[in-house]
Amino acid sequence: MACEKQTADILRRLGVNGLYKGCDFITSGMSFIHENAASYTPVTKILYPEIARQYNTSTSCVEKNIRMVIETIWKYENNREIIDKIFDTRHSSRRPSNLQFLMSLYRHIESGEFMRQVYDMYKDSFVYTCPSNGRQCESCKEILYMALYHMYQ
């Protein structure tokens, strides 16, 4: 559940919304990869058929719709900073393959980097005063971070 919510949030930040079927396919794919992280998941042999089964569609439809989302993300230059953080595109401006995209997105979510970015986005909108002295303190800031973390669990 947390992986799905994080994936949907990241895709929105990258400029694509739930109107693309590929967003649902990517979200389901991230959940499947997360649940099966201990083993290598061949995309065309296991992942696409699993997603296709869930959505009652074909594997070629899954592949095409994921590719369309990736192409849409890569078209928008205003997403370049986020794209660079997640997909490390400093050495190449080419869009990644579906497998590269999914694995980079998964690594980004698992690294906790997403949670740090969420915290950075929202930290100024919360007042974290210490109940004992009424001032801001690092311990209370850490408690706020953990509360944000649990929102995505």
Side-chain angles (χ1 to χ4, degrees):
M1 179 65 131
C3 188
E4 290 175 0
K5 186 172 182 171
Q6 289 181 21
T7 302
D9 287 348
I10 291 170
L11 290 173
R12 269 193 302 280
R13 289 180 62 212
L14 287 169
V16 291
N17 58 36
L19 296 176
Y20 289 92
K21 284 183 184 177
C23 289
D24 293 335
F25 297 161
I26 290 169
T27 301
S28 293
M30 285 295 103
S31 181
F32 184 83
I33 291 169
H34 180 72
E35 291 167 7
N36 299 288
S39 63
Y40 170 72
T41 304
V43 176
T44 56
K45 303 256 190 245
I46 296 176
L47 186 63
Y48 289 169
E50 177 63 26
I51 295 168
R53 186 188 57 73
Q54 284 180 354
Y55 290 92
N56 197 28
T57 190
S58 68
T59 56
S60 61
C61 179
V62 170
E63 188 275 330
K64 178 187 70 123
N65 281 284
I66 290 174
R67 187 172 7 97
M68 178 179 271
V69 167
I70 297 168
E71 288 172 359
T72 301
I73 289 169
W74 247 251
K75 282 182 190 174
Y76 296 113
E77 284 299 315
N78 59 340
N79 296 334
R80 188 55 46 200
E81 185 178 327
I82 298 168
I83 289 170
D84 289 344
K85 278 184 184 177
I86 297 173
F87 304 102
D88 193 24
T89 58
R90 293 173 296 208
H91 306 296
S92 171
S93 60
R94 288 186 19 210
R95 76 171 177 80
S97 69
N98 288 11
L99 175 61
Q100 291 167 332
F101 179 88
L102 293 170
M103 296 316 296
S104 293
L105 186 59
Y106 179 73
R107 279 193 299 273
H108 179 71
I109 291 169
E110 288 299 303
S111 73
E113 181 63 27
F114 175 71
M115 287 311 304
R116 284 188 285 282
Q117 290 173 3
V118 168
Y119 173 74
D120 288 342
M121 277 184 356
Y122 294 111
K123 70 180 176 187
D124 295 331
S125 33
F126 291 103
V127 177
Y128 42 89
T129 55
C130 182
S132 63
N133 64 16
R135 292 188 225 130
Q136 292 184 3
C137 69
E138 289 302 312
S139 297
C140 293
K141 190 188 253 187
E142 191 64 29
I143 291 169
L144 173 64
Y145 173 79
M146 293 308 295
L148 285 170
Y149 175 79
H150 288 292
M151 283 173 40
Y152 283 91
Q153 296 302 316

